[in-house]
Amino acid sequence: MSSPERPETKRLRVVSSSTDEVQPNIDSAGDAEACPRCFGTGMEVMPGEGARRCSCQTPDYRAKLFQSARIPPRYQHCTIQNYVTGNDETSKWAAKIEADRIINDFLVNDGRGLLFVGSVGVGKTHLAVALLQELIQRYQVRGLFYQFGALLRRIQDSYNPVSRNSELTVLEPVFQADVLVLDELGASKPTDWVRDTMMQIINTRYNDKRLTIFTTNYSDVRRNDKDGEILEDRIGVPLRSRLYEMCKTVVIEGDDYRKRKLAQTV
């Protein structure tokens, strides 16, 4: 007798057993990572009993998702609610609205993410992490946070001249994460290897329509000769062009929050 056909992996809205909150399941990247009981659907079929909510939807499972997301302890407190926006900081309000839109429209999102651009201390990383944490909490997605330089160092440290298996071990979670936050894009010295590695990551996620959130300190506009490098200089023309298609650019302006906070304590 042939084995039953596996159901197609997709996001489904399932009802929590403890509350009336409706929560979609994690979107599996493939059979290798799908739950063996529900195959990524969130509903487990029990012979003679019908369908029930799968155990992968429990709070313990959500806690594992947060742990595997690699969010640094310094940013684990970040939420949409505690993102500080002053009454006259219109760009921060606009950025917060864009983050809310991504969260609320996640189930119908076609993979187009956000690129938060701004100087240091305006809250780019806070907002990106807050968005990631809300998506994990609400939709049980597989999320991942990496600082641009740290990711490149991990790839370099794993490099094996004989086999690329170790390098792919680092890259695979980056490729497959439902939501990736890549912080401080362009922070590392722009070499051919850096550009090629980033293009591989970006192209893979772009083709798979996986949501990616970027932050960068480098603007797209060089206002004068003293401004130094712009984002295109740091990551290359082809990659910046792809990001226009892959992400909506959101410019955040304002004073350095850390410097302002320090001045208030003196």
Side-chain angles (χ1 to χ4, degrees), residues 55-118:
S55 59
C56 74
Q57 298 295 297
T58 63
D60 287 344
Y61 179 71
R62 190 183 295 115
K64 291 178 181 177
L65 290 175
F66 276 108
Q67 184 177 8
S68 64
R70 300 177 58 91
I71 298 171
R74 181 174 295 279
Y75 298 112
Q76 289 176 5
H77 73 284
C78 296
T79 66
I80 296 292
Q81 290 72 28
N82 63 22
Y83 177 68
V84 178
T85 54
N87 292 332
D88 58 342
E89 295 178 309
T90 56
S91 66
K92 290 186 178 181
W93 280 106
K96 189 173 183 179
I97 290 172
E98 290 295 338
D100 279 328
R101 180 184 58 79
I102 291 288
I103 293 167
N104 295 328
D105 295 345
F106 178 72
L107 292 181
V108 296
N109 185 288
D110 63 356
R112 192 161 194 252
L114 298 173
L115 169 62
F116 291 123
V117 178

Side-chain angles (χ1 to χ4, degrees), residues 77-232:
H77 73 284
C78 296
T79 66
I80 296 292
Q81 290 72 28
N82 63 22
Y83 177 68
V84 178
T85 54
N87 292 332
D88 58 342
E89 295 178 309
T90 56
S91 66
K92 290 186 178 181
W93 280 106
K96 189 173 183 179
I97 290 172
E98 290 295 338
D100 279 328
R101 180 184 58 79
I102 291 288
I103 293 167
N104 295 328
D105 295 345
F106 178 72
L107 292 181
V108 296
N109 185 288
D110 63 356
R112 192 161 194 252
L114 298 173
L115 169 62
F116 291 123
V117 178
S119 57
V120 296
V122 296
K124 303 182 301 295
T125 302
H126 181 124
L127 197 54
V129 170
L131 198 161
L132 173 61
Q133 297 203 112
E134 182 64 25
L135 289 174
I136 295 174
Q137 178 66 32
R138 190 182 301 190
Y139 300 116
Q140 288 86 63
V141 301
R142 285 172 297 120
L144 188 61
F145 175 96
Y146 260 115
Q147 288 183 325
F148 181 65
L151 174 59
L152 295 177
R153 284 193 297 272
R154 279 208 70 193
I155 298 171
Q156 287 175 323
D157 291 345
S158 69
Y159 180 70
N160 185 328
V162 178
S163 170
R164 294 187 66 229
N165 288 339
S166 55
E167 181 180 345
L168 290 175
T169 299
V170 176
L171 284 172
E172 192 65 20
V174 177
F175 292 154
Q176 298 295 341
D178 296 315
V179 182
L180 171 68
V181 170
L182 196 55
D183 193 36
E184 297 185 358
L185 181 65
S188 295
K189 184 179 179 180
T191 64
D192 289 341
W193 179 84
V194 168
R195 293 190 177 107
D196 289 345
T197 301
M198 282 309 305
M199 186 60 80
Q200 183 182 10
I201 293 171
I202 299 308
N203 276 339
T204 300
R205 294 189 60 81
Y206 172 81
N207 291 332
D208 292 341
K209 294 186 175 182
R210 297 192 181 279
L211 182 67
T212 310
I213 308 298
F214 300 91
T215 77
T216 183
N217 294 333
Y218 291 93
S219 171
D220 281 316
V221 180
R222 184 182 286 108
R223 296 180 178 84
N224 54 62
D225 294 337
K226 297 181 180 180
D227 268 0
E229 293 177 302
I230 59 175
L231 183 59
E232 190 176 279

